[in-house]
Amino acid sequence: MNYHDPLTGLANRALFYDRAHKSLARAKRDQSSLAILLLNLRDLDKVINQAGRNGGDRFLRAIARNFLEDLRDTDTIARIGQDQFVVMLENISRDEDIRNIIDKLIESANAPVTISGQELRCQANVGVSTFPADGDTVDLLLRHADMAMCESRQQGGNTFNFYEIDTRYTAGNCLLLENDLQQAVKNGEFNLYFQPQIDLRSGKIGGVEALLRWQHPERGTISPDTFISLAEETGHIKELGAWVLTEACEKFHHWLRKDINLGRVAVNISPFQLHDKHFLESIESIVKNSCLAPEYLELEITESAAMQNAGETIAILENLNRLGFSISIDDFGTGYSSLAYLKNFPIQKLKIDRSFIQDVDRSAPDAAIAKSIIDLAHNLNLQVVAEGVEKPGQARWLRDRHCDLAQGDYYSKPLSEIDLFGFIRISASATKDGEIRLI
Ligand code: C2E
Ligand code: MG
Ligand code: MG
């Protein structure tokens, strides 16, 4: 019990450390090499959402059995976190041999597991460090494997990385970025950009989406896709999210006072913020302090976030609606929406994910999906926004199918406040009634 993970029967962290210390001592004595592989299962929470706790446990047991089959008796595998495994390979020095084992492990992590008739699957990320090249203590080897894994995590599913000295300096490195993130809000390195949403009936701006930008003093602009997940993992998202809300509300109120009414400002809300027990009080006080009337604020929640813990989400959204905020579901079509939940969600808008818009005027399946989402939204009395509109053909297609709003580089990229005003001025002077662009 003290040395094994009760769920999978694999070694636990304590047993792993014990064996790793012994193996490392042996490797030093024999001048042999060893490798430490840290493996993270991506999207395990989605599997648990789909299959429930028990289903999730069965899934993990099946994956653990697969892993054991990939390894030799002399290798050690341990489960050291909910979705994290560590493997130690002794007497292995060739990168190619290590790669072969990683390939097998990733394949095992990907293998579908059928639970109660549902086929479930995960992806994996792996980070590798080796002795003697990357460290001479177990802790250091683990830390370096973790850095390499962080890098893989940012490269997407089913990727792996070997630790290299410059892993520490590459753009995606989590550990260094994490320290920087702590300071960044205080140092004023964050900025909000605004992307106009065009009302397709009137051709005017119907709203703007606030998008966060990090101007890192050494690394330049870092994309939110890189740092939002890091901020979520490290808990910084609450502070950062509060900053975004404050800034968006203050700016919008300031514009209204200058007689510039852009309809609404949409702010992206991370599931970590939404499910924080102080979120309601916090947003209520932020909006009150900014003097912005709540109906000008729209909260964007991604479809996959909304479906996590859907029962609880509905209750939170109802409270947000009660406070006067409107809610829109972001990246719609990419998560696993349950239509039963959608019916019960107190929401006002759906945003069609840009992957369906990309070829909407050329691909019959994409057109069918986009059209169905527009109809679904309208039948549920919701507005619908198309994301990622880049070409006039897409814009025309959407307008002809009565999509309400469109957003994308075709109209304007996300802009700084100054550029946004420039955009408004130019487009207002281009057409007599302030229409942005005639499609
Ligand atoms: P999102 O909310 O779906 O935002 C739309 C993304 O699409 C933005 O990327 C935007 O710049 C990009 N985009 C807009 N028009 C086009 C187009 O025509 N073509 C293409 N290819 N892309 C277009 P961005 O700004 O990099 O943000 C990425 C994601 O990061 C956002 O996706 C959102 O999920 C997240 N994010 C951004 N700001 C915040 C924030 O303040 N808080 C939270 N929690 N998440 C944020
Ligand atoms: Mg969004
Ligand atoms: Mg989106």
Side-chain angles (χ1 to χ4, degrees), residues 43-297:
D43 300 334
L44 183 65
D45 49 343
K46 275 193 197 144
V47 167
I48 294 172
N49 267 337
Q50 267 182 292
R53 275 266 154 229
N54 281 336
D57 288 352
R58 284 167 59 195
F59 178 82
L60 275 168
R61 275 196 288 269
I63 298 288
R65 270 196 304 276
N66 294 346
F67 286 158
L68 275 176
E69 282 175 18
D70 298 331
L71 300 169
R72 302 167 302 185
D73 289 344
T74 49
D75 302 331
T76 298
I77 175 163
R79 179 166 174 251
I80 57 170
Q82 161 81 350
D83 50 9
Q84 209 163 74
F85 298 81
V86 60
V87 175
M88 184 176 56
L89 309 171
E90 292 190 57
N91 287 318
I92 195 156
S93 56
R94 290 183 348 146
D95 280 4
E96 195 188 324
D97 297 336
I98 301 175
R99 272 199 194 104
N100 284 337
I101 294 177
I102 296 173
D103 283 345
K104 281 197 217 161
L105 290 169
I106 291 183
E107 210 170 290
S108 288
N110 292 169
V113 180
T114 305
I115 288 168
S116 313
Q118 289 192 90
E119 199 175 86
L120 305 168
R121 49 174 90 222
C122 254
Q123 294 192 321
N125 290 117
V126 179
V128 186
S129 66
T130 56
F131 171 81
D134 304 330
D136 59 359
T137 65
V138 174
D139 279 329
L140 193 59
L141 287 167
L142 275 172
R143 200 154 69 232
H144 287 165
D146 189 44
M147 284 180 166
M149 191 187 64
C150 268
E151 198 162 305
S152 314
R153 236 180 2 219
Q154 289 168 11
Q155 292 162 348
N158 297 335
T159 54
F160 67 88
N161 275 283
F162 281 72
Y163 174 79
E164 285 165 24
I165 291 294
D166 59 18
T167 297
R168 290 186 293 139
Y169 300 105
T170 53
N173 185 282
C174 305
L175 292 182
L176 286 185
L177 269 189
E178 186 186 331
N179 295 336
D180 296 350
L181 198 58
Q182 267 173 352
Q183 297 303 320
V185 172
K186 288 188 199 80
N187 295 348
E189 294 166 15
F190 285 110
N191 243 320
L192 274 194
Y193 271 46
F194 299 90
Q195 188 172 38
Q197 298 178 336
I198 307 304
D199 181 324
L200 290 176
R201 212 162 300 132
S202 68
K204 294 181 183 153
I205 296 184
V208 288
E209 177 175 6
L211 292 159
L212 193 53
R213 296 288 176 265
W214 182 4
Q215 197 57 44
H216 190 283
E218 284 141 35
R219 297 169 194 219
T221 309
I222 304 181
S223 145
D225 285 326
T226 305
F227 66 80
I228 292 288
S229 57
L230 182 65
E232 289 175 340
E233 279 167 28
T234 54
H236 295 308
I237 191 69
K238 284 179 203 159
E239 191 192 351
L240 191 53
W243 181 86
V244 172
L245 276 166
T246 310
E247 186 79 359
C249 292
E250 285 178 355
K251 286 251 149 81
F252 206 83
H253 179 248
H254 178 66
W255 302 340
L256 285 172
R257 290 191 49 182
K258 294 207 303 193
D259 241 2
I260 300 169
N261 186 348
L262 300 179
R264 273 210 182 106
V265 60
V267 172
N268 292 284
I269 302 292
S270 142
F272 290 79
Q273 285 171 276
L274 192 71
H275 290 283
D276 177 42
K277 59 180 187 299
H278 302 298
F279 181 62
L280 281 179
E281 301 163 42
S282 152
I283 191 168
E284 197 179 7
S285 92
I286 288 173
V287 177
K288 213 175 258 164
N289 290 339
S290 74
C291 302
L292 184 73
E295 59 267 27
Y296 289 113
L297 181 61

Side-chain angles (χ1 to χ4, degrees), residues 197 209-211 266-269 300-302 328-331 351 387 407:
Q197 298 178 336
E209 177 175 6
L211 292 159
V267 172
N268 292 284
I269 302 292
E300 290 195 3
I301 291 146
T302 61
S328 87
I329 300 289
D330 206 351
D331 304 344
K351 295 188 79 178
E387 295 188 283
Q407 172 181 354

Side-chain angles (χ1 to χ4, degrees), residues 282-383:
S282 152
I283 191 168
E284 197 179 7
S285 92
I286 288 173
V287 177
K288 213 175 258 164
N289 290 339
S290 74
C291 302
L292 184 73
E295 59 267 27
Y296 289 113
L297 181 61
E298 183 171 289
L299 306 175
E300 290 195 3
I301 291 146
T302 61
E303 183 186 23
S304 43
M307 291 298 154
Q308 272 174 34
N309 228 332
E312 194 184 303
T313 304
I314 290 177
I316 300 170
L317 298 186
E318 275 169 355
N319 282 324
L320 288 167
N321 264 187
R322 209 167 295 134
L323 292 174
F325 308 124
S326 58
I327 312 285
S328 87
I329 300 289
D330 206 351
D331 304 344
F332 188 77
T334 58
Y336 314 84
S337 250
S338 144
L339 294 180
Y341 279 129
L342 196 62
K343 181 183 77 177
N344 294 323
F345 272 144
I347 54 174
Q348 285 71 44
K349 248 184 208 169
L350 292 184
K351 295 188 79 178
I352 311 176
D353 189 70
R354 71 163 176 263
S355 55
F356 303 113
I357 303 302
Q358 222 166 26
D359 292 320
V360 79
D361 51 341
R362 288 182 296 171
S363 141
D366 285 344
I369 292 172
K371 177 75 173 86
S372 305
I373 298 177
I374 295 172
D375 292 344
L376 174 72
H378 287 162
N379 291 336
L380 290 170
N381 270 328
L382 307 176
Q383 279 205 310

